Amino acid sequence: MADAKTKPEKSAKGGKKAKTGKTAGKAETMNFQAEMSRLLDIVAHSLYSDKDIFLRELISNSSDACDRLRHAALTEPELAAGDADYGIAVTVDKTARTVSVADNGIGMNRDDLIANLGTIAKSGTAAFLESLTGDARKDTSLIGQFGVGFYSAFMVADRVEVVTRRAGEDQAWRWSSDGKGSFTVAPAERAGRGTTVIIHLDKDQDGYLAKEKLSGIVKRYSDHIPFPITVAGADDAPEQANTGAALWTRPKSEITADQYKEFYHHVAHMADDPWATLHFHAEGVIDYRALLFVPSTRPLDLFQPERESRVKLYVKRVFITDHETGLVPAWLRFVRGIVDSEDLPLNVSREMLQDNPVTAKIRTTIVKRLLDDLDKKAKDDSDAYETFWNNFGAVLKEGIYEGAAERDRLVKLARFRSTAADGLVSLDDYIGRIKEGQDEIYYISGDDVDALARSPQLEGFRAKGVEVLLLTDPVDEFWVPMLGIYEGKPFKSVTRGGADLSKIKGAGGEDAKDEKAESELAPLVAAIKLALGDKVKDVRSSDRLTDSAVCLVAGEGDMDIHLERILRAHKQLDTAAARILEINPKHALIKALGEAARQDGKAPLIEDAAHLLLDQARILEGEPVTDAADFAKRMSKAMAAGLG
Ligand code: ADP
Ligand code: MG
């Protein structure tokens, strides 16, 4: 909330305009919410390279306001009484040097004004501000989503006034600000409901006093707005500047790529270009139009717990809602756009939308269309598909986990980082490269691809040319066990259970298990077990290591190491299972220790080494050492011995 200053200021503007009527009242001065001031500064000075878009943003808001009133009036017709022709009027006053944008939409009362034009209501504001890079181009797509379009008016204005009256209320209000930290709110008068935004142009912005220029901007950016937009000088007759029909009702052949893009900006509140645009009319048992977009960047709310879709539902051109429509499953929640149904009743309620056969049917066909499109993109342009997958793959995988009806298609669409290629690979690619004697699909999961690629557990697989998938989305821990098997091959974590690589025919020739080396190592294995006690589940010689001396793996029936870490981080688990310590019989250090273990009097040395090896394996795993002081002591001892 904006914090109201206690001292009510007699603002010249607010006071003058308000004093004539019975509603005369004092203007209150309030400060913008702290974060707001900073955003405002960015929006007004560096965000957009093209100042023209201020008009697009104001018209977009007016259009939303008309949509919202038209919907509210379905149940409360008196709200729109006397004026049901929604429209937006742009007016130039050359003498006053103002451009105003007026609508007869829902309007705002005092509280609305303060909440909407003084604060950023969205959650995560602070985190968002931290993520700003200061690079205007990169920040644009983020900021656009934060609902700051209105402030773009300050790119061309030295003062902005908003005179507004909420539908169904008698009192109008005037908001006024120079965009520099504070604003005033005062009672005002307005003939009817709706909102007028008055831009007092900056000294050097006289270009916007030309009607033709404004009409051109409307045509260019706002043609898709489904309400008539007129442009006029102070005294002349208004002329409609846009087509005024809902974009999705027009034939595809008549819509340009730019028009689709501008509609996307408006409907999605996103500032990027759509990655995919899907426009179709389904006729038959159910009749609806859909205009859907896949963004080319991640929307900020993508991983919020509500997992809500933002696709807007219209019924016969009337906006109904963008909440809980049931039109798009949660695992496609990044899709933006509209669905306009001919079959649903205009007064359809939220409850009616749940389990509604019409929405269920629409949903099935929309999902099919979207997946068809993704299939096609994956085949035709794998680079573009990679961009998509990097943005939204983690969300699609939720559908696999949830057992969506389309699960098999989703599995085919899935892409992975892998040890066998630089780019992304599919499961079919993997199956195509599978080695003779390999019965499993190997994967390793963790937070970071590069760290994963360096995991010691991979060494043996790499040496044999056996591909391992590198999984870094938290959801991987859940869908992989849920799916369990692909093309008859079970998934298998390389950090769990025994890896019997000897039966796989590798590129590097056959190296069958070396029985002799193993029996020579037996005394060392026993000594390490004795030293570590219940700190480890087991100690054994490994054939998955080539370069590293040790690694940790989970027991066959135990939880995967990465999953356990995720659950502990989310406080869903407070214990850590003991792991199996695997040692590399071919490593020089292990060989030397093996030698020592067969001699007398080396027990203290082996004990220190055992603890250091376990700590080393934990560090490689990204875990802290068990006891830092103990670790430092043993380490110093070992180094001193080495130097001595
Ligand atoms: P966004 O449109 O993304 O929410 P804006 O900064 O453009 O962000 O607008 C902020 C809010 O101000 C809107 O969400 C709306 O509640 C309110 N608002 C702006 N213009 C109007 C208008 N013409 N009529 C009614 N409400 C408006
Ligand atoms: Mg807006």
Side-chain angles (χ1 to χ4, degrees), residues 379-391:
K379 284 194 190 85
D380 296 352
D381 188 349
S382 57
D383 285 350
Y385 188 73
E386 279 203 11
T387 310
F388 161 80
W389 187 260
N390 289 333
N391 282 330

Side-chain angles (χ1 to χ4, degrees), residues 57 60-61 64 147-150 269:
E57 293 300 324
S60 171
N61 287 348
D64 286 346
V148 294
F150 171 79
H269 292 239

